[in-house]
């Protein structure tokens, strides 16, 4: 009859394996360690590390203040409004928003706004420009929809 082969496995020491990996780490990851030290120094120099330490040490007070603010009527409305504004910004065509940004910059940018209003005939003459009529039509459509929404939703609660 055959005899079973004896197998003796040496006991595994996880602490010894970790110590060995830790000793080899500086050689294997020297570049990453140097970059992480530089990043840590920059975070320290900018004061962010001090801010984080202060935030962690007074974490309970900060969380209590945030919960208190979020639990108020104004906090709830503010969070709901922020969600609605996020959805609204996500729905706007970026090209249209870019055009709006250019118009605002060119109108209110570096130049001083016109102080004197144009005369009646000058104002009527400007309505011949298709760009002005297009803008007025856009504003008119916005105001129509806003009025319809105000009518259906009622007064402020």
């Amino acid at each position: 009859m055959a005899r079973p082969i004896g197998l003796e496995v040496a006991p595994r020491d996880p602490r010894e394996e970790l110590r060995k990996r830790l000793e080899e780490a500086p050689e294997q990851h020297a570049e990453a360690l140097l970059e992480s030290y530089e990043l840590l120094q920059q975070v320290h120099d900018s004061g962010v590390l001090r801010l984080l330490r202060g935030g962690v040490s007074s974490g309970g007070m900060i969380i209590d203040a945030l919960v208190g603010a979020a639990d108020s009527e104004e906090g709830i409305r503010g969070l709901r409004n922020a969600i609605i504004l996020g959805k609204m910004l996500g729905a706007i065509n970026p090209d249209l928003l870019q055009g709006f940004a250019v118009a605002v910059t060119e109108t209110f940018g570096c130049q001083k706004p016109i102080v004197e209003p144009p005369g009646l005939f000058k104002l009527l003459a400007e309505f011949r420009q298709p760009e002005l009529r297009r803008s007025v039509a856009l504003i008119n459509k916005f105001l129509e929809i806003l009025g319809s929404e105000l009518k259906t939703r009622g007064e402020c609660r």
Side-chain angles (χ1 to χ4, degrees), residues 5 23 26 76 92 107 110:
I5 299 174
E23 287 175 358
I76 293 170
I92 295 175
T107 304
C110 299

Side-chain angles (χ1 to χ4, degrees), residues 127-139:
F127 271 98
R128 290 187 308 186
Q129 298 175 2
E131 294 83 11
L132 179 66
R133 292 194 314 266
R134 190 175 296 119
S135 300
V136 169
L138 180 68
I139 292 169

Side-chain angles (χ1 to χ4, degrees), residues 62-105:
I62 292 173
I63 290 174
D64 290 342
L66 290 174
V67 167
D71 197 28
S72 69
E73 180 84 18
E74 294 84 11
I76 293 170
R77 282 186 182 171
L79 288 173
R80 288 181 65 197
N81 290 343
I83 291 169
I84 292 169
L85 286 173
K87 286 180 181 179
M88 183 181 72
L89 284 175
I92 295 175
N93 182 343
D95 294 332
L96 180 63
L97 194 57
Q98 176 67 30
F100 182 76
V102 168
V104 168
T105 303

